[in-house]
Amino acid sequence: MRSVFAFSFHILLTFVLGITFTGCTRNDTDPASKLESTHVLTHENLPLSVLIKCSFTQSASARIKYWPATENEAGAMVSAISDSKKNHTFSVFELKEKTDYHYKVIHVSENGTETEVRQVQRFTSGTLPTWLTAYYTQDQNVLQENLPGYYLFAPASKPNGLFLVDKTGKIAWCWSPPSNTMVKTARFTPKGSLLILIDENSNPMADGNVLLETTLAGDTLSYFRMGEKGFDKSIHHDIQMDENGNIVAITNEMQNGFPGDGILVLNSQGQKIWEWSTFSELTQIDPATYAQPWGNSLVIDKDHNYIVSFRALSQIWKINATTGKVMWKLGKNGTVKMPEGSQFMFQHFAHRNASDDIMLFDNGAAARPHTRILSFTLNESTLQATTKINLTLPNDAYSVIMGSTGLLPDGNVLSASAMTGKLLKTDLTGTPVWTLKTASPIYRAEYIANPFGQW
């Protein structure tokens, strides 16, 4: 595993803020005096987060509290308790930009008694990057939302990065890639880290050549570049991590001069352990009509097989993750029987939602210039689909390319109208509840219930 410092060697992502040490005179009668030193690490690419490290002369449990210097300590945020050890690291999130903070280290005794260190320490949060302030204006995006979660944005413009917005519309976290690179897509993993596809080559499409897994605190967990180990094909549009820590990605394929799509599976060491190609299914190719199927989303289904959206085919396939057999095709000329009026066009972000239905962003096209959100209850034995959700987004949310959607915990729908730069919450009739606006296209956006829980 590379440390954050090792990652800085690879892509110039460095910890740069000063390290502040605080020594405390020890007194064996005062538990809090066992604190030996504290220091703060800030990350230039994570301006709304810091790491606070503290060391004790002997193993001890601890927590921290922190608050804006201009506010009262009574309103301080308090971390979870870090179990007994000498050295502790606390990840601090959701800071206000360019703000002075106070913090204290709290010693927690074996019987649960908490003793505050007397000396108050200080740090200052960073400044939001210019790409983000140009892309998203907080003062123009004010929410009153009851759901407690966050919204992860992956912009489609360059320069870009990733950011989370809270239920009030404020930016709670952001991350910038190295200069002259671009985030193409990102997904949260089962362990709460972020898996990010980065493009170093200014590729005009959705292709990337670097896979980075990082914590929200900036620790690099894995880093693979195309051409190394089993990463032998260009990845595009989507990536996932399975429950075993394997990376599953959509790839570009080529056969007899024809472009296709594939699936590549890398283990945690970057070694190839499985691959698949659309050419194993599309064996009869008519050069006059053939086009790349154009895989644009991939999810791991509840039975561990893969659900992949192919835009050019207006189809969603389920692919056996062991044999590579296509289990069903939902959509135009597919193997699943669909209700009248439910055919979708050039869709994105197909997935199984919390209601166990197949849900997708139905982009539309010139022949039907409006975007719908569809979901289907699918009987995989009889290969019959029943429409569950069929809502049309407002006319000003029509997005001919890109986009995403998802079912929210309150039963409403979240949709990223990519080309219009809008993230909408609607009810099941398509009536907007609220809208967040960006200055340029959104590749996709998702609701994340508790992104900071792991760190």
Side-chain angles (χ1 to χ4, degrees), residues 191-267:
K191 54 188 175 183
S193 58
L194 268 173
L195 184 62
I196 306 171
L197 179 64
I198 298 172
D199 172 32
E200 297 177 312
N201 302 318
S202 298
N203 189 291
M205 308 305 287
D207 299 50
N209 69 307
V210 169
L211 287 168
L212 166 68
E213 184 194 357
T214 179
T215 69
L216 268 68
D219 296 306
T220 298
L221 304 181
S222 63
Y223 178 89
F224 305 115
R225 179 178 276 112
M226 183 179 170
E228 300 175 351
K229 299 183 178 180
F231 187 175
D232 58 359
K233 296 175 182 177
S234 175
I235 291 173
H236 68 95
H237 281 93
D238 215 354
I239 48 178
Q240 294 280 0
M241 181 173 286
D242 69 20
E243 61 185 11
N244 297 316
N246 301 314
I247 297 171
V248 186
I250 299 176
T251 60
N252 284 303
E253 302 283 321
M254 188 67 70
Q255 180 174 295
N256 300 324
F258 294 105
D261 297 291
I263 298 173
L264 175 67
V265 182
L266 304 175
N267 65 17

Side-chain angles (χ1 to χ4, degrees), residues 94-323:
E94 299 190 80
L95 300 174
K96 301 176 182 179
E97 73 160 331
K98 296 185 291 187
T99 300
D100 291 330
Y101 281 84
H102 287 158
Y103 75 94
K104 289 181 178 179
V105 179
I106 302 171
H107 175 277
V108 184
S109 68
E110 291 183 0
N111 64 10
T113 301
E114 297 191 357
T115 307
E116 294 183 356
V117 175
R118 296 185 183 90
Q119 188 172 0
V120 174
Q121 307 301 314
R122 180 186 293 267
F123 66 85
T124 302
S125 60
T127 302
L128 292 176
T130 54
W131 69 260
L132 182 50
T133 55
Y135 183 79
Y136 183 87
T137 304
Q138 296 184 90
D139 292 344
Q140 297 175 7
N141 287 296
V142 178
L143 291 184
Q144 291 183 325
E145 173 57 67
N146 292 324
L147 290 175
Y150 301 77
Y151 304 91
L152 175 67
F153 282 76
S157 53
K158 183 179 180 180
N160 73 349
L162 299 169
F163 65 102
L164 286 163
V165 168
D166 68 15
K167 65 179 183 178
T168 71
K170 295 294 184 183
I171 297 169
W173 174 92
C174 64
W175 177 85
S176 300
S179 59
N180 300 317
T181 69
M182 181 179 179
V183 172
K184 289 302 178 77
T185 190
R187 291 278 198 171
F188 272 91
T189 74
K191 54 188 175 183
S193 58
L194 268 173
L195 184 62
I196 306 171
L197 179 64
I198 298 172
D199 172 32
E200 297 177 312
N201 302 318
S202 298
N203 189 291
M205 308 305 287
D207 299 50
N209 69 307
V210 169
L211 287 168
L212 166 68
E213 184 194 357
T214 179
T215 69
L216 268 68
D219 296 306
T220 298
L221 304 181
S222 63
Y223 178 89
F224 305 115
R225 179 178 276 112
M226 183 179 170
E228 300 175 351
K229 299 183 178 180
F231 187 175
D232 58 359
K233 296 175 182 177
S234 175
I235 291 173
H236 68 95
H237 281 93
D238 215 354
I239 48 178
Q240 294 280 0
M241 181 173 286
D242 69 20
E243 61 185 11
N244 297 316
N246 301 314
I247 297 171
V248 186
I250 299 176
T251 60
N252 284 303
E253 302 283 321
M254 188 67 70
Q255 180 174 295
N256 300 324
F258 294 105
D261 297 291
I263 298 173
L264 175 67
V265 182
L266 304 175
N267 65 17
S268 60
Q269 303 304 309
Q271 304 294 341
K272 184 192 301 185
I273 58 174
W274 195 81
E275 63 182 335
W276 174 88
S277 169
T278 52
F279 291 113
S280 65
E281 177 71 14
L282 303 175
T283 57
Q284 303 297 320
I285 292 178
D286 180 354
T289 59
Y290 177 81
Q292 183 174 357
W294 209 248
N296 60 25
S297 71
L298 180 152
V299 294
I300 302 167
D301 201 8
K302 58 186 180 180
D303 59 5
H304 311 297
N305 296 309
Y306 305 133
I307 295 175
V308 183
S309 166
F310 291 105
R311 179 183 186 273
L313 302 177
S314 291
Q315 289 183 352
I316 298 161
W317 294 6
K318 184 167 182 177
I319 301 161
N320 188 289
T322 301
T323 67

Side-chain angles (χ1 to χ4, degrees), residues 11-23:
I11 59 173
L12 306 179
L13 193 59
T14 54
F15 275 110
V16 295
L17 188 71
I19 300 177
T20 304
F21 291 90
T22 304

Side-chain angles (χ1 to χ4, degrees), residues 62-74:
R63 72 194 321 169
I64 60 165
K65 62 191 300 188
Y66 58 97
W67 64 98
T70 57
E71 298 180 13
N72 195 296
E73 182 180 347

Side-chain angles (χ1 to χ4, degrees), residues 335-351:
T335 61
V336 177
K337 185 177 180 180
M338 300 176 64
E340 189 71 27
S342 64
Q343 295 286 348
F344 44 85
M345 303 175 71
F346 308 114
Q347 75 293 334
H348 285 75
F349 211 72
H351 63 282

